[in-house]
Amino acid sequence: MVRRSNIVQPMPDSALRFESDSAWVVKPLSPPQLNEIGREIKQAFVQLAQVDIAASPVQVIDALERSYLMLRSRAAEGLGQKSTDIARLGFLWAHQVVRQCEWHWKSVSADALPNPAIVSPDLAHVCFPIDLVATALVEKQKSPLKNLYQRIA
């Protein structure tokens, strides 16, 4: 488990928890920010998941597992990853949680600057999808995407 102040970053075997007594600011993302996330999700369907946009969340998560492993393999070979691929993978994963579990896109940050995250309906849990993917890649983890999705769903 990796801690960033009062927010616990999700690792495969840990719970997501948002400590509401913190100084973190939770606010809606603006329409342009949501539109940008939507564009990235559409690109991720085509470039990373390679499944139909109408595919079930489970089918998309399975496809994202393969994409994650490809990114991890490229990193192991010293080829690196594009930050856009990491962001798109995180956004598309989070989109499945939003679709299936009624989580919501919000901005969660300590400095009130936009920072896309998904939060549970009761605001008890938060996940930063880009950080989830980036941290897992840096730490050379097996993919946390399917495991964490199953725990939330």
Side-chain angles (χ1 to χ4, degrees):
M1 190 178 331
V2 177
R3 243 186 179 328
R4 182 195 296 166
S5 186
N6 287 329
I7 295 189
V8 176
Q9 288 295 320
M11 292 296 130
D13 297 321
S14 67
L16 299 166
R17 174 147 296 149
F18 179 70
E19 297 175 12
S20 60
D21 60 341
S22 71
W24 292 80
V25 177
V26 178
K27 63 183 184 178
L29 290 165
S30 70
Q33 292 163 338
L34 289 170
N35 288 339
E36 179 64 24
I37 290 170
R39 282 191 296 274
E40 294 299 325
I41 288 168
K42 287 178 185 171
Q43 286 297 315
F45 267 111
V46 172
Q47 295 176 347
L48 296 174
Q50 299 177 345
V51 296
D52 187 85
I53 199 162
S56 74
V58 171
Q59 290 171 313
V60 175
I61 295 296
D62 287 341
L64 292 179
E65 286 280 298
R66 292 186 295 274
S67 295
Y68 174 87
L69 294 174
M70 179 200 64
L71 287 176
R72 195 177 81 177
S73 172
R74 282 180 26 200
E77 294 170 9
L79 302 175
Q81 310 95 7
K82 292 187 218 174
S83 59
T84 54
D85 287 345
I86 293 170
R88 287 175 179 160
L89 186 60
F91 285 152
L92 186 52
W93 175 85
H95 180 64
Q96 304 320 300
V97 176
V98 168
R99 282 177 63 194
Q100 184 69 29
C101 307
E102 298 181 8
W103 283 42
H104 305 282
W105 285 102
K106 297 284 185 184
S107 176
V108 180
S109 67
D111 54 13
L113 292 174
N115 188 22
I118 55 171
V119 297
S120 61
D122 62 0
L123 299 178
H125 299 91
V126 62
C127 181
F128 299 94
I130 296 172
D131 293 346
L132 170 68
V133 174
T135 300
L137 286 168
V138 167
E139 295 180 356
K140 301 177 182 167
Q141 298 175 12
K142 282 187 162 183
S143 175
L145 303 176
K146 189 170 192 172
N147 184 322
L148 188 56
Y149 173 80
Q150 290 172 335
R151 293 185 67 208
I152 293 170

